[in-house]
Amino acid sequence: MKVQRDKLKQYQKRVQVVLDREDALARELLKKGDKRRALLALRRRKYQEQMIATTDSQLLNLQQLVETIEFSLVQKDVLFGLEQGNQVLTKLNQEMRIEDVERLADDTAEAIAYQNEISELLKTQMSAEDEEAVLMELDELERQESDRLQINMPQVPDHPLPVQHPVEAGAQQDDEEKEDELSLNKQPMLA
């Protein structure tokens, strides 16, 4: 179809050349005083103009048809994608049945309830001293774990922060920025 469109455009160019030639011929014949032949050249020119108008209409129809076909191809691709997505979703749903999900949720709830019962039983059977010892052991494990991971937390200042006046704050802030830049320049760079 695109080939046909290109052929129609080439035809229009050829007809335009004929139109220009007929117009020039009509002007030349009119200058010579041959009105009858000039009129015939103008009639041929008018016929060629009608041919161009018909070709324009056909080109428009052909262009619309090409666009419709291209859009239909896009729609076909979208439909194919939707079908594939639906098939995958169906397979996933077959693998994950509602009964299995409900059973898993029930099993999980039962396991949590069982664990809570055990915790309550152990808590009630332990003395206050045992409970305190368990909590201290938990704190020690947490400390060891944080030491093992080498978590370095920043130090919180233990003195009150100085109060700054608004006018001095801008000047002091500039000084602090310069100090920060200097300290950054002195620190070794890590690769």
Side-chain angles (χ1 to χ4, degrees):
M1 294 217 193
K2 290 182 180 181
V3 173
Q4 293 296 342
R5 179 192 62 198
D6 294 341
K7 286 183 180 180
L8 282 174
K9 286 183 180 180
Q10 289 173 353
Y11 175 74
Q12 276 185 324
K13 288 179 184 177
R14 286 194 309 260
V15 169
Q16 186 62 44
V17 169
V18 172
L19 274 174
D20 294 341
R21 199 173 58 222
E22 291 293 335
D23 185 60
L25 180 64
R27 290 178 191 272
E28 187 179 318
L29 290 172
L30 194 57
K31 283 181 186 177
K32 290 182 181 177
D34 194 355
K35 264 180 139 177
R36 187 179 59 79
R37 287 182 65 198
L39 184 60
L40 180 63
L42 288 175
R43 285 184 181 147
R44 284 190 304 233
R45 181 175 176 264
K46 188 65 170 175
Y47 173 75
Q48 296 297 331
E49 285 175 348
Q50 290 173 350
M51 294 296 286
I52 284 185
T54 303
T55 306
D56 282 340
S57 174
Q58 290 173 349
L59 260 175
L60 181 63
N61 289 339
L62 193 58
Q63 185 64 31
Q64 288 174 344
L65 183 60
V66 166
E67 289 173 0
T68 302
I69 289 171
E70 287 174 348
F71 185 70
S72 294
L73 289 172
V74 169
Q75 285 178 325
K76 182 188 128 212
D77 290 343
V78 168
L79 181 63
F80 180 72
L82 288 173
E83 286 175 351
Q84 283 184 327
N86 191 26
Q87 289 172 358
V88 169
L89 185 59
T90 302
K91 287 179 183 178
L92 288 173
N93 286 338
Q94 287 172 353
E95 291 176 13
M96 200 172 49
R97 297 187 329 247
I98 291 177
E99 296 84 24
D100 294 339
V101 173
E102 288 173 347
R103 183 182 45 79
L104 181 61
D106 290 342
D107 291 348
T108 303
E110 287 175 15
I112 290 172
Y114 181 73
Q115 183 62 41
N116 288 338
E117 285 179 34
I118 291 174
S119 295
E120 285 298 318
L121 285 173
L122 289 175
K123 192 189 290 185
T124 57
Q125 291 180 358
M126 284 197 280
S127 67
E129 293 172 354
D130 290 340
E131 183 68 27
E132 189 175 318
V134 169
L135 289 175
M136 287 175 54
E137 189 176 346
L138 177 65
D139 288 342
E140 179 63 24
L141 285 174
E142 286 177 341
R143 187 187 59 74
Q144 288 174 0
E145 186 63 21
S146 68
D147 289 346
R148 188 181 68 80
L149 294 175
Q150 296 179 353
I151 297 176
N152 294 325
M153 300 300 283
Q155 295 295 324
V156 176
D158 56 355
H159 62 298
L161 295 174
V163 178
Q164 295 180 353
H165 297 290
V167 175
E168 295 175 6
Q172 191 170 5
Q173 185 177 7
D174 291 340
D175 291 340
E176 289 175 2
E177 288 176 4
K178 289 177 185 175
E179 287 176 15
D180 288 343
E181 288 177 15
L182 288 174
S183 65
L184 286 175
N185 290 336
K186 291 179 183 179
Q187 293 177 353
M189 295 189 72
L190 300 176

